Amino acid sequence: MDDFDTIDDAEIKEIRRALDSEDLPSAVGKIKDYFAQQERVELNIAVTGESGSGKSTFINAFRGLGDEDEGSAETGVVETTIQPTAYPHPKFPNVKLWDLPGIGTPRFKADEYLKQVEFARYDFFIIIASDRFRECHANLAEEILNMKKKFYFIRSKIDSNIQAEKRKKTFNEADMLDAIRKNCIKGLEETGLLSPTVFLISCFKLDLYDFNRLEETMEKELPQHKKDVLMLALPNITLEINNRKKKALQGNIWKLALVSASIAAVPIPLINATASISADVSILVYELNKYYKAFGLDPNSLQKLSERSGKSVNELRAVLKSPLNTEITKDLVIRLLTSSSLFLVESAAEYFLGLIPVLGSLASGSLSFATIYYLLQRCLNELAEDAHNVLIAALQTEV
Ligand SMILES: Nc1nc2c(ncn2[C@@H]2O[C@H](COP(=O)(O)OP(=O)(O)OP(=O)(O)O)[C@@H](O)[C@H]2O)c(=O)[nH]1
Ligand SMILES: [Mg+2]
């Protein structure tokens, strides 16, 4: 029963609450609406800063792309970005990063700039500074708040600062990072901002410094439906992010199991004929593909990780254990469904029924709920663990 141990009290309470307050069909209806909304929800992130500060490079890194990959934002040493340009995430296109024109030209006026770039369409701004904190940063930060929007302040190219300062005998990385942070915080405080936060980042080494903290802060401050979309799209580059992705995906499992069980005609483990399994299969294929992409286990992401870490794709693949680490197809899911142990699923069904008795009144009973729950949980555990091991394998070469 290992795979069910993860169903914690909070989740059981959540399921009970959803089912107690209304009849089963309306609870299921609500969950379906939630999924439909999830499909439509967009996250628009504006990335701004002085020309050359690394906006386009950040946009590519955030989307898991190299600067020369197809669909990447153009980067370089001459001014390149003139119009706001949307760059959809390659795997989750509802997440768009907008490359905005550079700020800080002699005629720069923050309020006019924000109107020009149509500030209203963004969920939040990321201001990138690659050098000292300047007046244009302060003006822009202030004006974004005036427009009732949020911003996150990034101090970029930390790797090149470290490289340059390392030549000094007195070099101390922590002190240097502290000094950079303080300079930016002081500048932001002078605009009247209370306890501002600054994130130190290197787009060439996104897994170091403050990227985790930035992600955590964004996640905390976004409304739930947007938070889930962000979690999927984030580059899976640290163990912390890997864990948080798992948690976010975990939250959907009972909902999917319930929707699936309310429409399934036959309890799955009892049949062999593939024709009768349909709704469940498409739900599973869809969800498992989402896991696969969110954890960066697809061939493209592994290739990128290999380039970053210096380990070959084969070396990375060698630590993968889950049989799901191939393309997730209908056939594969049907095999999983028909091979899930009837005994395990039956005892799981009893277990769920004991916790949440109303499941007994589902169209196909608690057995179908248990099957979907069991499978998704097992696959999520397996893929999250594989992703975790791949990250560790990749990190080992970097030190
Ligand atoms: N060392 C280092 N270089 C970086 C980093 N981010 C960007 N760069 C380099 O800085 C230069 C400018 O980066 P871009 O991403 O093109 O800058 P931008 O802000 O989009 O510039 P414009 O489009 O002209 O406004 C490029 O040569 C990048 O390779 C970083 O984190 N570290
Ligand atoms: Mg650019």
Side-chain angles (χ1 to χ4, degrees):
M1 293 292 283
D2 281 357
D3 287 310
F4 304 111
D5 291 346
T6 47
I7 184 160
D8 57 18
D9 288 349
E11 190 163 303
I12 294 165
K13 268 194 202 127
E14 197 189 343
I15 304 178
R16 283 201 191 127
R17 206 175 326 117
L19 297 182
D20 278 357
S21 54
E22 49 219 319
D23 59 297
L24 204 53
S26 11
V28 171
K30 265 199 181 158
I31 293 172
K32 281 190 188 157
D33 289 348
Y34 160 84
F35 284 129
Q37 192 205 4
Q38 261 329 74
E39 287 308 302
R40 287 193 306 265
V41 86
E42 276 201 7
L43 187 64
N44 287 290
I45 304 175
V47 181
T48 179
E50 287 172 277
S51 177
S53 59
K55 300 179 292 295
S56 307
T57 309
F58 176 80
I59 287 172
N60 293 337
F62 191 97
R63 295 182 307 145
L65 295 178
D67 292 333
E68 283 154 324
D69 289 342
E70 204 186 318
S72 66
E74 199 173 323
T75 64
V77 283
V78 291
E79 196 162 330
T80 45
T81 311
I82 296 158
Q83 289 287 336
T85 314
Y87 290 95
H89 190 283
K91 290 188 269 176
F92 301 99
N94 289 6
V95 174
K96 291 195 186 87
L97 283 102
W98 291 79
D99 201 347
L100 301 194
I103 63 167
T105 52
R107 277 170 293 119
F108 174 73
K109 287 212 175 59
D111 55 344
E112 283 172 18
Y113 175 86
L114 286 175
K115 276 185 203 122
Q116 253 169 33
V117 300
E118 298 183 48
F119 68 91
R121 72 177 155 208
Y122 310 114
D123 290 287
F124 57 81
F125 288 78
I126 289 180
I127 306 177
I128 302 189
S130 61
D131 206 338
R132 285 181 182 72
F133 188 86
R134 291 186 44 209
E135 200 184 340
C136 62
H137 299 127
N139 291 343
L140 186 63
E142 205 173 357
E143 204 52 38
I144 289 175
L145 295 180
N146 277 344
M147 309 276 186
K148 306 270 175 291
K149 292 277 174 181
K150 247 184 197 317
F151 70 84
Y152 298 99
F153 195 88
I154 288 184
R155 174 52 168 75
S156 72
K157 303 193 191 178
I158 291 301
D159 57 312
S160 52
N161 290 96
I162 291 179
Q163 211 53 41
E165 292 289 307
K166 247 186 185 161
R167 302 193 333 243
K168 295 183 182 162
K169 279 202 195 79
T170 52
F171 173 74
N172 174 303
E173 186 174 309
D175 288 350
M176 191 202 88
L177 296 180
D178 201 43
I180 295 180
R181 201 187 302 273
K182 280 198 176 123
N183 168 267
C184 297
I185 290 182
K186 189 166 143 260
L188 286 170
E189 275 173 349
E190 278 165 11
T191 70
L193 205 70
L194 298 173
S195 36
T197 323
V198 171
F199 301 94
L200 309 184
I201 279 175
S202 158
C203 289
F204 298 163
K205 293 244 166 223
L206 217 49
D207 53 327
L208 301 181
Y209 319 110
D210 289 341
F211 188 75
N212 256 331
R213 228 164 37 83
L214 170 66
E215 178 275 307
E216 222 176 336
T217 314
M218 288 177 186
E219 197 193 336
K220 228 182 277 161
E221 295 178 352
L222 277 172
Q224 184 65 44
H225 57 297
K226 301 237 176 192
K227 189 183 299 192
D228 291 342
V229 181
L230 175 75
M231 280 319 296
L232 289 178
L234 275 174
N236 199 30
I237 46 170
T238 66
L239 298 178
E240 288 92 332
I241 293 180
N242 195 60
N243 278 342
R244 279 202 288 276
K245 276 182 186 262
K246 184 180 174 192
K247 231 186 200 159
L249 290 164
Q250 165 89 48
N252 274 354
I253 290 186
W254 74 265
K255 299 188 184 101
L256 286 162
L258 193 67
V259 170
S260 166
S262 69
I263 46 184
V266 186
I268 292 134
L270 303 180
I271 49 165
N272 290 316
T274 51
S276 343
I277 326 171
S278 58
D280 297 283
V281 171
S282 23
I283 289 179
L284 284 170
V285 171
Y286 184 79
E287 195 64 8
L288 292 179
N289 262 313
K290 203 152 93 181
Y291 294 178
Y292 186 64
K293 286 189 287 182
F295 285 123
L297 293 165
D298 54 293
N300 239 337
S301 306
L302 287 178
Q303 177 63 36
K304 288 275 146 332
L305 185 62
S306 148
E307 285 161 18
R308 263 204 339 262
S309 66
K311 275 217 164 178
S312 71
V313 172
N314 283 343
E315 279 174 287
L316 295 176
R317 281 200 163 280
V319 301
L320 301 179
K321 291 202 199 91
S322 170
L324 294 167
N325 269 310
T326 60
E327 205 191 340
I328 290 159
T329 59
K330 229 171 135 180
D331 288 348
L332 177 75
V333 168
I334 290 171
R335 269 206 308 282
L336 279 174
L337 278 170
T338 45
S339 68
S340 38
S341 150
L342 185 56
F343 169 73
L344 267 184
V345 172
E346 269 180 345
S347 40
E350 257 172 56
Y351 170 79
F352 282 122
L353 209 52
L355 293 172
I356 312 149
V358 67
L359 292 181
S361 61
L362 285 169
S364 59
S366 52
L367 199 54
S368 180
F369 178 91
T371 313
I372 302 294
Y373 193 100
Y374 172 83
L375 265 182
L376 284 174
Q377 186 67 67
R378 202 183 85 197
C379 296
L380 179 63
N381 288 349
E382 276 182 18
L383 291 176
E385 196 182 323
D386 271 0
H388 179 105
N389 291 338
V390 162
L391 277 176
I392 290 184
L395 290 172
Q396 270 164 358
T397 48
E398 284 187 348
V399 286

